Amino acid sequence: MSGTKWTHKSLIVAVGLALALLMPAVSAAANTSDTSDARAGTARYHRLDAARAAGYDLLTDAAGIACIDNPGVGGMGIHYANGDLVGNPSVNAATPEALVYEPQPNGRLRLVAAEYVVLQSAWEAAGNSGVPTLFGRSFELIPSPNRYGLPAFYELHAWIWKHNPRGMFDDWNPLVSCAAAQS
Amino acid sequence: MARYMVERIFPDGLEIPVTDDGAAACLGVVDRNAELGVTWVHSYVSDDKRKSFCIYDGPDPESIRRAAERNSQPVNNITRVKVLDPYFYK
């Protein structure tokens, strides 16, 4: 009998846990919708030549390194940035300022993420206060000086084309490697 | 935009060569989908390559079916789905 009561308690706990899990899932639907705009806007850039034709150019850091990684934490990959979009303080899910590609062993580049970038000076000159947001997430401020030799900027990665175990919007993806770029 | 899981059955197996031609074929699918506002996110293919589970974003199931017709792909079932993972995309 006590076993039966325990079973009932377990069931109640299990149902509670299930509801707790499902509630955030429902609220996450809005984020899914936003990231679908990002995917729709960038799907054509699986073709690197299409990205180049649209104004995305190879970005290297101040040391000339193209493939950005953080050993022990994860990689980003190779960034292609659109200068016109970077200089514009607006943020649009479908038109990221940068596209991030992971070098593949066969020499190809695989589109893995979008990066949204706003120069802090442009953001503030446009009369904005606070921090840019997208997908319900706040951008991170990268102060100057930084490894890219850029003025202070806000940025947000969205790993819309490759799963990131650290989360959709983390800067680093442990499943992304620059190893193929160095071989 | 809604997300869908599209189940496809390939009686003779799905064979996409891991070559430039195969890559071009996949990119062609991306282009034709875009004309209908449909985005192929990724797919899971069974070991025997006779069944695939494809994740798509799109405006409605009819657009998914029209995209499949343009790509000469079978459609056996379409289910509207939501994402659930340990991070809920934070």
Side-chain angles (χ1 to χ4, degrees):
Chain A
M1 201 57 178
S2 61
T4 303
K5 285 181 180 175
W6 176 240
T7 301
H8 288 166
K9 285 181 182 176
S10 300
L11 183 62
I12 291 169
V13 170
V15 170
L17 283 173
L19 287 173
L21 282 171
L22 287 173
M23 291 297 282
V26 171
S27 65
N31 273 349
T32 302
S33 176
D34 288 339
T35 52
S36 71
D37 292 338
R39 288 191 183 88
T42 59
R44 80 191 82 162
Y45 303 135
H46 285 299
R47 300 176 191 270
L48 181 59
D49 55 353
R52 286 178 168 146
Y56 289 92
D57 296 319
L58 178 65
L59 177 71
T60 62
D61 69 6
I65 296 172
C67 195
I68 307 300
D69 66 355
N70 188 357
V73 179
M76 283 184 189
I78 298 175
H79 293 71
Y80 281 77
N82 184 311
D84 290 340
L85 293 175
V86 170
N88 186 326
S90 66
V91 176
N92 185 327
T95 55
E97 283 71 22
L99 304 167
V100 188
Y101 292 83
E102 180 185 27
Q104 303 295 291
N106 63 5
R108 297 176 186 276
L109 292 179
R110 171 185 169 171
L111 179 61
V112 290
E115 185 175 4
Y116 300 87
V117 177
V118 180
L119 296 179
Q120 184 183 31
S121 57
W123 179 250
E124 293 176 352
N128 295 300
S129 59
V131 175
T133 62
L134 189 63
F135 311 124
R137 305 281 301 191
S138 296
F139 283 40
E140 179 183 357
L141 177 64
I142 307 298
S144 178
N146 52 65
R147 69 178 292 179
Y148 305 101
L150 294 173
F153 63 94
Y154 295 103
E155 64 85 20
L156 178 70
H157 284 86
W159 296 92
I160 53 177
W161 292 112
K162 185 167 186 174
H163 175 64
N164 183 353
R166 289 171 59 91
M168 169 70 86
F169 303 109
D170 200 279
D171 278 346
W172 303 102
N173 186 337
L175 299 183
V176 168
S177 168
C178 288
Q182 295 157 356
S183 60
Chain B
M1 212 174 326
R3 175 157 293 184
Y4 298 93
M5 185 177 76
V6 184
E7 297 171 62
R8 310 184 198 277
I9 294 174
F10 301 90
D12 299 323
L14 174 63
E15 292 296 340
I16 299 177
V18 187
T19 62
D20 287 348
D21 287 345
C26 290
L27 292 172
V29 169
V30 171
D31 292 342
R32 288 186 287 275
N33 288 343
E35 295 167 1
L36 297 169
V38 170
T39 308
W40 173 32
V41 179
H42 57 231
S43 296
Y44 302 92
V45 182
S46 62
D47 278 349
D48 63 7
K49 297 184 179 176
R50 293 179 188 275
K51 192 165 187 178
S52 69
F53 304 86
C54 306
I55 305 300
Y56 274 77
D57 291 336
D60 51 55
E62 182 53 30
S63 299
I64 302 288
R65 291 188 187 279
R66 289 172 59 204
E69 286 175 10
R70 291 190 181 190
N71 292 312
S72 301
Q73 296 168 325
V75 174
N76 295 90
N77 196 33
I78 300 177
T79 306
R80 182 167 177 167
V81 296
K82 286 185 169 68
V83 173
L84 172 63
D85 74 7
Y87 299 93
F88 309 121
Y89 289 163
K90 292 186 189 176

